Amino acid sequence: MSQYGPLKLHVPEPTGRPGCKTDFSYLHVSPAGVVRRPPIDVTPADTSDLAYSLVRVLDDDGQAVGPWAPDLSPDALLAGMRAMLKTRIFDARMLVAQRQKKISFYMQSLGEEAIGSAHALALEHGDMCFPTYRQQSILLTRNVSLVDMMCQLMSNQRDPLKGRQLPVMYSVREAGFFSISGNLATQFIQAVGWAMASAIKGDTRIASAWIGDGATAESDFHTALTFAHVYRAPVILNVVNNQWAISTFQALAGGEGTTFAARGVGAGIASLRVDGNDFLAVLSASRWAAERARSNLGPTLIEWVTYRGGAHSTSDDPTRYRPSDDWQHFPLGDPVARLKQHLIGLGAWSEEEHERTVQALEAEMAAALKEALSYGSLADGHIPPLASMFEDVYKDMPPHLREQMRQAAEEER
């Protein structure tokens, strides 16, 4: 007889189900301003404490405190506020368009606007982002055409990708935005490879990879960490921990009892765990990681702690798997409201200015949507000609495809 009892498996459970109140104590939130800021040449092993604490700059009163507080002009802060508001308003407008059956599918970034907006401001022109489907704020911060983005969502006649990608799967090379991959986690190894190629060529451009907490359970995530560590690739590895994959809690991906940032330290990569709802903390940490990459000091893994305020997508109903008021109780708050409080405290913003900016952006979105709809939408069936599916596949179209294209064009007439 064994002296031990029967073996058991531990299956992680969410801290709150529908109808229950979530306990967010598992987040291990550090007070603002207390986490140290090491020099950029710190060894990965010496960032272990930073992988378990939480880099924060804005305190409860909206004051910027501590060593991570960046030196920013009021204009730079206002640009960040505008980028976040632009993202939130774009998301809201596109969600309505999907409900009106003008587009087939949409994914919001509600509650996560600070991450992409601030990160985009920390990078330089020519750097390449390898995003997931919730980093539209990068494009909006870089002032990519709203009409082009909307036309891609509608797959209409002006769709810059000509219907060759799913809605929200943007691709804008000029803005340093690599084609979004629907196969989760593949963008991590793509980014590391791109960064390695940049170094091999003796270039100065760095890569920025994005992944969600759920996709860190994919093998591609670990492969990317290995190559980034071994070759000291000039890449920033971003893990957006918004607490939920589609309907599974972050603990199922391994976030219980440790942090996702800790995986970076274990792989020999300098790692940070950062308040993703703090615009100033995001910008400061992103600049720190970018400087490490440009200085040939290797990769940095950053876990952005945030919360998915809305549904996973327009095909999802989050009330079936989590409390409906979770976001209102999330201890890191609303990123827009927090930066707004900071700006008002500086005397650089006001409630009236905030409302005027929201109204101006809403008018801009309405005008862009009207123009985009003139090229067709899902509702009116105004889509590109069938023959266009044969174009932009080969540099020189082979004869058999030319014949198929001719037949397709004849059938449409």
Side-chain angles (χ1 to χ4, degrees), residues 70-142:
D71 183 16
L72 291 176
S73 67
D75 286 345
L77 288 169
L78 293 174
M81 171 59 81
R82 179 180 172 83
M84 286 200 292
L85 286 174
K86 189 176 181 181
T87 302
R88 184 163 292 187
I89 293 169
F90 179 85
D91 276 352
R93 179 71 66 163
M94 293 302 98
L95 182 61
V96 171
Q98 192 278 333
R99 298 309 190 206
Q100 294 173 337
K101 302 186 184 303
K102 293 173 181 175
I103 61 178
S104 61
F105 180 77
Y106 194 70
M107 304 182 82
Q108 290 182 294
S109 61
L110 182 63
E112 303 176 32
E113 296 91 349
I115 300 171
S117 300
H119 193 81
L121 293 172
L123 298 178
E124 295 181 0
H125 179 74
D127 294 338
M128 186 61 74
C129 293
F130 290 75
T132 67
Y133 37 65
R134 224 178 292 278
Q135 275 78 56
Q136 55 264 49
S137 53
I138 294 175
L139 292 174
L140 293 165
T141 302
R142 293 179 172 179

Side-chain angles (χ1 to χ4, degrees), residues 105-370:
F105 180 77
Y106 194 70
M107 304 182 82
Q108 290 182 294
S109 61
L110 182 63
E112 303 176 32
E113 296 91 349
I115 300 171
S117 300
H119 193 81
L121 293 172
L123 298 178
E124 295 181 0
H125 179 74
D127 294 338
M128 186 61 74
C129 293
F130 290 75
T132 67
Y133 37 65
R134 224 178 292 278
Q135 275 78 56
Q136 55 264 49
S137 53
I138 294 175
L139 292 174
L140 293 165
T141 302
R142 293 179 172 179
N143 293 314
V144 170
S145 166
L146 291 172
V147 176
D148 283 351
M149 291 178 67
M150 292 175 181
C151 286
Q152 191 275 332
L153 293 170
M154 297 175 190
S155 297
N156 62 19
Q157 289 187 333
R158 187 174 156 173
D159 176 6
L161 304 183
K162 299 184 178 182
R164 286 171 168 77
Q165 266 285 30
L166 293 169
V168 309
M169 301 277 184
Y170 309 101
S171 176
V172 189
R173 182 175 183 176
E174 299 78 19
F177 199 90
F178 200 84
S179 301
I180 294 176
S181 175
N183 297 316
L184 298 185
T186 56
Q187 64 272 18
F188 241 50
I189 51 177
Q190 291 164 359
V192 172
W194 192 96
M196 290 171 62
S198 183
I200 290 169
K201 292 186 296 184
D203 207 335
T204 59
R205 299 175 297 168
I206 66 173
S208 181
W210 295 83
I211 201 168
D213 53 278
T216 61
E218 298 279 355
S219 59
D220 286 344
F221 169 77
H222 301 278
T223 300
L225 263 58
T226 297
F227 274 79
H229 157 64
V230 170
Y231 295 100
R232 296 182 187 174
V235 62
I236 304 172
L237 302 167
N238 301 282
V239 178
V240 180
N241 179 6
N242 63 14
Q243 314 308 309
W244 292 91
I246 296 179
S247 59
T248 56
F249 189 58
Q250 53 98 19
L252 278 173
E256 184 182 63
T258 185
T259 68
F260 294 103
R263 296 185 181 184
V265 177
I269 296 172
S271 302
L272 305 173
R273 184 171 171 266
V274 180
D275 180 347
N277 289 10
D278 181 339
F279 180 87
L280 297 184
V282 175
L283 182 61
S284 186
S286 297
R287 285 178 170 177
W288 187 86
E291 187 177 358
R292 275 183 60 85
R294 294 189 207 285
S295 302
N296 287 311
L297 294 170
T300 302
L301 185 147
I302 307 177
E303 176 187 348
W304 305 108
V305 180
T306 183
Y307 192 84
R308 169 163 59 79
H312 176 74
S313 73
T314 50
S315 302
D316 173 48
D317 179 5
T319 64
R320 292 182 175 272
Y321 54 80
R322 71 185 190 189
S324 59
D325 62 346
D326 257 16
W327 191 37
Q328 284 70 37
H329 301 292
F330 187 61
L332 299 181
D334 180 338
V336 172
R338 291 177 66 186
L339 184 59
K340 175 184 173 183
Q341 181 188 27
H342 177 64
L343 285 168
I344 291 176
L346 293 176
W349 198 242
S350 67
E351 293 287 354
E352 294 74 22
E353 182 64 25
H354 189 88
E355 184 59 30
R356 283 195 297 269
T357 302
V358 168
Q359 291 177 359
L361 287 170
E362 287 178 341
E364 183 181 353
M365 294 298 164
L369 181 58
K370 182 178 180 180

